Amino acid sequence: GVLVSVSTALDDVLDAVTPDELSIAWTAGSGSAANLQVADRTASAAAFGAPQTVPAGSFSTARAALSQNGLRLVVVNADGQGFSELTRTSRMPPGNTFGAPAPGSYTNFDGPGALAAGQSYGDPVLSADDNAFYYSVYGGGLTATIFRTARLLPGDAWPVGAPLAASSGLAAQGSLRRQPTGISSDEQTLFFWDEVLATQRAALIDESTGAFDVFVDLGARAMAAPNLACTSLYY
C-alpha cells in the first residue's frame, strides 16, 4: 500500500472512504484524545486537502460512515443506543464544515424498544448507492451481530434492519465480534475486522443462500473499505 498524505503521527484508524475516493474519514488518536477527521480532494489522483476536525459532540469516535457524495457523516451516539447524521452542503469551502449531529434518517433506531437490554449499536457502513445500510447490534448474548437494512430512495428514513443470513465466519464469540468496515458496490463482498482472529477479512456472498460464507484473509489491512470499482482498498 501507499501511505495517504493526510495520515498523522497519531494512531490513525480508517472510518470510511467514499466510492469515488474524494472524501475520507478517520479517527486520529485514541481514548479521550481521539478525534474524528475528514479530508476531501477534487480528483482520485490528487492529494487530499487539509483535514477538518469534526467537533466532539454527543457521539462516539469509535466508527463513522460517509454517504456516497461525502455530504453526510453517520456516527454512533455516545450511549450506543442510536445513530446520528452530521451534514454539510459541499465538499469544498464554503459549505464543507459539518453541522451538529441530528437523528436525520435514523429516527427508527432510537427510542424505547429499539434495542433489547444490554445491546448497543456500532459500525455504520453505507452502500455505494446510499440505499443499503450495514451496522452492528451487539451485546446481550447476540451471536449474529451484523445487520442490514434497505430503503427505496435516498433521504427516506431507514427501517430497522435484520441480521445477515447465518454464517459461522461472521458470528460473534463471547465479547469478540466481526465488525463490518466496508461493502462492495454490488454488495457481493463484505469487508470486516475480525476480532476473533485479530485480522481483516473479506466475505463473499453465496447468492443461492444469501449468506456471506466464503472468506479471504486481508491480514493487517485494518478497517478496509473499497472504492466503487473495488479496484482500490483503503485501510
Side-chain angles (χ1 to χ4, degrees):
V2 177
L3 188 67
V4 178
S5 60
V6 287
S7 300
T8 75
L10 302 173
D11 290 332
D12 290 322
V13 179
L14 179 68
D15 286 312
V17 63
T18 53
D20 59 12
E21 304 176 68
L22 300 187
S23 299
I24 189 170
W26 75 100
T27 301
S30 58
S32 60
N35 58 82
L36 184 58
Q37 303 274 321
V38 177
D40 304 287
R41 57 186 175 184
T42 57
S44 60
F48 283 102
Q52 63 166 294
T53 299
V54 179
S58 56
F59 58 87
S60 166
T61 55
R63 291 298 307 282
L66 279 168
S67 61
Q68 93 285 4
N69 59 10
L71 301 184
R72 288 182 292 108
L73 190 63
V74 181
V75 294
V76 183
N77 295 347
D79 60 5
Q81 301 299 290
F83 295 100
S84 292
E85 290 180 314
L86 295 79
T87 63
R88 58 181 177 175
T89 58
S90 172
R91 283 169 159 167
M92 297 295 130
N96 66 324
T97 302
F98 284 97
S105 302
Y106 296 88
T107 53
N108 291 325
F109 289 82
D110 202 0
L115 289 174
Q119 295 178 356
S120 298
Y121 291 120
D123 312 310
V125 173
L126 285 164
S127 66
D129 63 5
D130 205 22
N131 286 332
F133 178 57
Y134 292 76
Y135 60 97
S136 294
V137 178
Y138 62 95
L142 286 178
T143 55
T145 61
I146 302 178
F147 283 58
R148 178 187 183 274
T149 185
R151 60 186 180 182
L152 182 62
L153 296 171
D156 288 351
W158 293 103
V160 174
L164 298 184
S167 170
S168 60
L170 294 180
Q173 294 185 19
S175 62
L176 302 178
R177 57 193 176 88
R178 276 72 184 218
Q179 300 174 259
T181 63
I183 188 72
S184 62
S185 58
D186 59 6
E187 294 191 72
Q188 303 298 292
T189 305
L190 176 72
F191 296 85
F192 65 98
W193 176 254
D194 192 325
E195 290 186 333
V196 178
L197 301 177
T199 190
Q200 182 74 24
R201 304 188 86 192
L204 311 181
I205 200 169
D206 180 341
E207 290 186 301
S208 65
T209 63
F212 289 94
D213 59 5
V214 177
F215 298 93
V216 178
D217 289 331
L218 298 175
R221 299 177 177 89
M223 306 301 165
N227 66 351
L228 182 67
C230 218
T231 54
S232 292
L233 198 64
Y234 289 75
Y235 58 93

